[in-house]
Amino acid sequence: MTKNVYLKLNEILTYEAIDTQISKFTSDSYWYKQSYRQFIKRFRETRGETDIGIWAERLALVYSWLPKIPLKSFALDDDMLQVNIDRLSELESTFYDVELSTIRRTAYLGSLYHGETIFSSYKGYYDTAIREFLVPAGYVIHKEPNLNTQLSSITKLLHFMCPYLFPIFDTKVCKQLFDTTRQTYERYLMYIFGLQQFLQQSEIGQYIKSLANKMDLSPLYIIDLVIFNL
C-alpha cells in the first residue's frame, strides 16, 4: 500500500500544480502563509522547554489552524500532563532536525505491533515507532489518545515540532491520497513511508526538495500546500 501512495503522489504532484501553488504562496497574503514561518520559529525558540505554560502557547498555535476550540487539551491531572509533555520534549530534542528522506526505517519486533514500519535509531536513540510520537501528543491535546480520530490536530503539532520529519495529515490530504476523508493510523503510516519513497526516488520529489531549500521551507510543507489546494 505504501507503493500506492508513492504512485498517487507522482500522479497529483505535477510540475504545473507545484509551480501554481508556489506562485500563489509567494504573491498572495493569507493566514496559513503568514503564520507558518512564525510558528516554526516559535517552536524552534521553545524547543526543550517542558513548562506547561509554554506548551499551552504551542497548542494555541496549533489550534489557530483548526476550526475548533481545544476543549480537552490539558485536561489530564498535572502529573500525567507533565509526563507526556516531557516525553514529547525529549522526542523533539532528538528528532527536530532529521529529514524524512534520510532517516532509515526498520520493522518493529515486539509482540503487539510486530512488523510495523518504524524509524531506525537516530543519534543513538532507540528504534522509534510513529505511535510513540502520536500517543503522548494525543494525551496532551485530547486527554485520551485515539490514533484514528485525532490526526488533523496531532500531526500539525508534530509537524511544527519536527517540520522535516512529520507531514500534516488532514481530511483533504486523506481524500486526495485514499479517496476517503476517514483518517486512520494505518493510512498515516502509509502516507509517511510512501512520501519518504517519493522524496528519495521521484524526480519531482527532488524538484520539491530543491525548491524548499531555496525558499527555506520544509519540503513536507510544500507538498501539503499543493495537496491541500488541489
Side-chain angles (χ1 to χ4, degrees), residues 53-64:
I54 293 294
W55 279 83
E57 177 190 351
R58 285 175 152 217
L59 291 196
L61 299 181
V62 170
Y63 267 86
S64 75

Side-chain angles (χ1 to χ4, degrees), residues 82-149:
Q82 193 66 61
V83 164
N84 286 282
I85 286 176
D86 290 349
R87 177 67 178 140
L88 287 173
S89 183
E90 177 185 339
L91 289 167
E92 181 183 2
S93 294
T94 301
F95 290 91
Y96 71 91
D97 63 345
V98 68
E99 296 186 18
L100 179 59
S101 62
T102 60
I103 193 168
R104 294 182 298 111
R105 62 188 188 186
T106 186
Y108 181 75
L109 300 179
S111 58
L112 189 56
Y113 308 111
H114 186 77
E116 182 174 291
T117 304
I118 63 175
F119 294 140
S120 295
S121 174
Y122 181 70
K123 293 181 181 176
Y125 207 77
Y126 63 83
D127 297 347
T128 309
I130 309 303
R131 66 178 68 244
E132 293 185 60
F133 294 84
L134 298 176
V135 169
Y139 276 119
V140 170
I141 300 176
H142 298 286
K143 186 179 180 181
E144 186 70 29
N146 185 327
L147 304 188
N148 291 327
T149 63

Side-chain angles (χ1 to χ4, degrees), residues 5-6 32 39 49 57 59 92-93 99 120 171 176 178 187 203 213:
V5 172
Y6 169 77
Y32 292 117
F39 291 0
E49 296 283 352
E57 177 190 351
L59 291 196
E92 181 183 2
S93 294
E99 296 186 18
S120 295
T171 55
Q176 288 291 342
F178 300 103
R187 288 184 178 128
E203 179 181 303
N213 185 57

Side-chain angles (χ1 to χ4, degrees), residues 140-171:
V140 170
I141 300 176
H142 298 286
K143 186 179 180 181
E144 186 70 29
N146 185 327
L147 304 188
N148 291 327
T149 63
Q150 301 166 352
L151 290 169
S152 288
S153 55
I154 288 175
T155 61
K156 286 180 177 65
L157 174 62
L158 294 182
H159 179 75
F160 293 151
M161 289 166 53
C162 306
Y164 291 84
L165 182 61
F166 286 105
I168 294 171
F169 192 58
D170 55 24
T171 55

